[in-house]
Amino acid sequence: MNDVLTLVDARLRWAFGEPDARASVTFLGTERIEVLRFVDAEARTVRYATLGMSAAPMTDPAQALADPERGPRAELLLTVRAGLADTDKVLRPLAVLAASPQVEGVVVAPGASLDTGEPLWPGAPFTSVLVAEPGGLVEDLPLDPPREPVRFLPLLPMTPAEAAWKRVHGAEALRERWLRHETDLRDPLRNAVPLGD
């Protein structure tokens, strides 16, 4: 584990306690991505956090040469209500999303949509996620300059209808609609928010 990932691992454990499970996935031509699971029995939630995405900075594919030090770094967080669905099957889709900067050369940032092309877990009504603003669950992890801090980006599952609506109206409009309808974004079985009113 490189020095950045050691610090990220420590930050996650400081924020959530010890993980009760961790799994690793390696894709051809990429570094290993781990997914850690943290159970909060009091809040009846399960949190999944990636570990490995921040090992290298994300690079805009339009850049001719990737800078090994400069560029945004991030890890992904997903929180769902425990015991309502087989959400542990989200480990591989989460690892796929975390590997996308290495595989596809994308820069993952708040407001972006990430699509897995399949349900996030068996029976899930979601195949994509909205990347939310960092800082609420885990504070940014500063690194020595010139390296940028590691940001911990929450993921909000979207139904296909919500993802299509977001493409037309934007991330902020979808967040406002969720808020207006008091949508429980941690419910792994929720229906799409009403989109026609």
Side-chain angles (χ1 to χ4, degrees), residues 15-61:
F16 301 134
E18 288 299 316
D20 77 327
R22 55 198 308 156
S24 65
V25 181
T26 304
F27 304 99
L28 188 63
T30 68
E31 297 294 325
R32 182 179 69 175
I33 301 287
E34 284 191 272
V35 180
L36 284 57
R37 184 181 71 184
F38 302 88
V39 175
D40 185 336
E42 191 175 313
R44 296 182 181 174
T45 59
V46 182
R47 286 197 175 93
Y48 302 94
T50 64
L51 178 63
M53 182 176 169
S54 61
M58 295 180 277
T59 305
D60 189 324

Side-chain angles (χ1 to χ4, degrees), residues 4-192:
V4 172
L5 298 187
T6 300
L7 294 170
V8 169
D9 192 14
R11 175 59 62 100
L12 289 169
R13 286 187 282 110
W14 177 81
F16 301 134
E18 288 299 316
D20 77 327
R22 55 198 308 156
S24 65
V25 181
T26 304
F27 304 99
L28 188 63
T30 68
E31 297 294 325
R32 182 179 69 175
I33 301 287
E34 284 191 272
V35 180
L36 284 57
R37 184 181 71 184
F38 302 88
V39 175
D40 185 336
E42 191 175 313
R44 296 182 181 174
T45 59
V46 182
R47 286 197 175 93
Y48 302 94
T50 64
L51 178 63
M53 182 176 169
S54 61
M58 295 180 277
T59 305
D60 189 324
Q63 287 183 319
L65 196 59
D67 188 319
E69 295 294 326
R70 290 179 174 83
R73 295 175 191 252
E75 296 291 352
L76 307 176
L77 303 172
L78 175 69
T79 305
V80 293
R81 300 230 173 271
L84 301 179
D86 187 11
T87 56
D88 281 350
K89 295 290 197 307
V90 79
L91 299 180
R92 184 170 176 79
L94 264 185
V96 169
L97 296 179
S100 61
Q102 292 182 56
V103 175
E104 301 170 29
V106 299
V107 176
V108 178
S113 300
L114 303 176
D115 198 318
T116 62
E118 61 184 16
L120 294 179
W121 51 83
F126 319 107
T127 58
S128 62
V129 293
L130 175 65
V131 182
E133 292 290 336
L137 292 172
V138 185
E139 292 180 13
D140 292 354
L141 173 65
L143 301 175
D144 292 334
R147 298 186 293 185
E148 294 184 25
V150 177
R151 304 170 85 198
F152 297 87
L153 302 172
L155 302 179
L156 307 175
M158 293 188 292
T159 68
E162 289 171 338
W165 196 87
K166 181 256 177 189
R167 281 192 294 274
V168 174
H169 300 280
E172 188 56 37
L174 180 57
R175 281 193 292 264
E176 288 174 3
R177 190 161 283 262
W178 280 337
L179 192 59
R180 188 182 341 143
H181 289 276
E182 299 179 347
T183 306
D184 182 0
L185 297 174
R186 295 179 175 185
D187 181 353
L189 302 172
R190 74 171 180 84
N191 295 318

